[in-house]
Amino acid sequence: MVTPANSRTKKEHHCSIHRSLDLVGEKWSLLIVRNALRGESRFSELRDNLGIPSDVLSARLATLVDAGVLERRSYREPGERERYSYHLTEQGQALKTVLIALQEWGDEYNPSPGGRVSLTQDAATGQHASIGFIGDDGSVLDSSAVTMVPGPAAAISW
Amino acid sequence: MVTPANSRTKKEHHCSIHRSLDLVGEKWSLLIVRNALRGESRFSELRDNLGIPSDVLSARLATLVDAGVLERRSYREPGERERYSYHLTEQGQALKTVLIALQEWGDEYNPSPGGRVSLTQDAATGQHASIGFIGDDGSVLDSSAVTMVPGPAAAISW
């Protein structure tokens, strides 16, 4: 019996955190997205700036394209062969919040002795921005009062 | 020449995102923190609810204790041997933002057909809460205008 390579049994998780980590829960994947958010797109610049082996980078890029986080485009420099660049989709851009949450956590609890490498800024006003919780009524909430509670599908998996 | 196990050369990264991922950038680590945020603390409940092999769970818990995310406490049930439970430190509690960011991203772009397992709620008012960006002037910002810009230490590593 022939079994296609992509038909192997994979447990489908219900929790969105688990589902997200299934897509991007690997250190290199999130670092690739970080560099893409900084404007890097070419294989060679990602490889050189991340210091990641080419084969690992190829595999992670393929996973991120499959997951809908990156879009692959071809380009050709004069006199060179066709190459590929990788661009964040809307879904990929939305990971900005996850990365800035990791950044703020690191700056707070594990700061680099050299100072902050990256800051978060509101392009409209130029002011510093930080992550917070907003209520459905539009008010800024006290983060310590925000909790995760079981949702409608919690009976399946909580 | 004797080399202590913990003296192997480890590159110290400057970017807070990279530094954070060095501490918690592994799928199981963040899932352990998720379950701890839901109130689970005992080795056996984490193992059973996560479906993680005992040796992997032991290793991840040790890493999270070393990183200052979890605190280990001993307890003893009547007639049983001493066991350990694991509790989020303040630093560990602060990862709530990272996990809720992953949750919102998953709910938006990769929702479970069964519905939402977990919701985010403001305990003070009972209303639904979501992640957003707040300016230093206290205003809620348009997320699409928020960008990562080089910080003072960007010259070292950006």
Side-chain angles (χ1 to χ4, degrees):
Chain A
M1 190 180 123
V2 178
T3 306
N6 61 354
S7 77
R8 65 207 156 125
T9 308
K10 182 167 173 278
K11 188 173 183 321
E12 182 80 3
H13 295 284
H14 296 283
C15 168
S16 301
I17 295 172
H18 206 147
R19 294 169 67 83
S20 296
L21 290 169
D22 282 342
L23 293 185
V24 294
E26 193 282 325
K27 200 173 95 168
W28 285 120
S29 299
L30 285 173
L31 289 173
I32 291 167
V33 173
R34 176 197 64 174
N35 284 35
L37 282 167
R38 292 176 180 172
E40 296 172 20
S41 63
R42 295 182 172 193
F43 188 93
S44 56
E45 62 184 341
L46 290 167
R47 183 194 58 213
D48 296 347
N49 292 335
L50 288 167
I52 181 176
S54 291
D55 56 338
V56 178
L57 179 57
S58 292
R60 293 295 174 277
L61 287 170
T63 304
L64 290 169
V65 169
D66 280 351
V69 168
L70 292 175
E71 183 186 282
R72 191 173 85 144
R73 299 180 200 156
S74 67
Y75 70 94
R76 191 194 294 264
E77 297 280 5
E80 303 243 354
R81 66 172 174 79
E82 183 177 52
R83 294 176 195 276
Y84 295 99
S85 60
Y86 297 84
H87 303 267
L88 290 167
T89 60
E90 182 206 323
Q91 179 180 346
Q93 284 283 349
L95 282 168
K96 181 174 70 178
T97 313
V98 173
L99 289 167
I100 293 175
L102 283 165
Q103 178 178 283
E104 289 192 2
W105 185 76
D107 285 333
E108 177 75 22
Y109 295 102
N110 182 32
S112 169
R116 298 191 58 178
V117 167
S118 184
L119 299 172
T120 311
Q121 192 175 60
D122 176 32
T125 60
Q127 69 180 317
H128 176 254
S130 48
I131 281 189
F133 289 98
I134 323 271
D136 279 354
D137 66 3
S139 61
V140 176
L141 303 172
D142 173 5
S143 293
S144 64
V146 171
T147 54
M148 294 161 74
V149 296
I156 307 173
S157 142
W158 159 245
Chain B
M1 192 179 121
V2 177
T3 306
N6 62 354
S7 78
R8 64 207 158 128
T9 308
K10 183 167 173 275
K11 188 172 183 320
E12 182 80 3
H13 295 284
H14 295 284
C15 168
S16 301
I17 295 172
H18 206 148
R19 293 170 67 83
S20 296
L21 290 170
D22 282 342
L23 294 184
V24 294
E26 192 282 324
K27 199 173 94 168
W28 284 120
S29 299
L30 285 173
L31 290 173
I32 290 167
V33 173
R34 177 197 65 175
N35 284 35
L37 282 166
R38 291 176 180 172
E40 296 172 19
S41 64
R42 296 183 173 192
F43 188 93
S44 55
E45 62 185 341
L46 289 167
R47 183 194 57 214
D48 296 347
N49 292 335
L50 288 167
I52 182 177
S54 291
D55 56 338
V56 178
L57 179 57
S58 292
R60 293 296 175 275
L61 288 170
T63 304
L64 290 170
V65 168
D66 280 351
V69 169
L70 292 176
E71 184 186 280
R72 190 173 86 146
R73 298 181 201 155
S74 67
Y75 71 93
R76 191 193 294 265
E77 297 279 6
E80 303 243 354
R81 66 172 174 81
E82 183 177 50
R83 295 176 194 277
Y84 294 99
S85 60
Y86 297 85
H87 304 265
L88 291 166
T89 60
E90 182 206 321
Q91 180 180 344
Q93 284 283 349
L95 283 168
K96 180 174 70 177
T97 312
V98 173
L99 290 167
I100 293 175
L102 283 165
Q103 178 179 283
E104 289 191 2
W105 185 75
D107 285 334
E108 178 73 21
Y109 295 102
N110 182 31
S112 169
R116 298 191 58 178
V117 167
S118 184
L119 299 172
T120 310
Q121 193 175 59
D122 176 31
T125 59
Q127 70 180 316
H128 176 253
S130 48
I131 282 189
F133 289 98
I134 324 277
D136 279 355
D137 66 3
S139 61
V140 176
L141 303 171
D142 173 5
S143 292
S144 64
V146 171
T147 54
M148 293 161 74
V149 297
I156 308 173
S157 142
W158 161 245

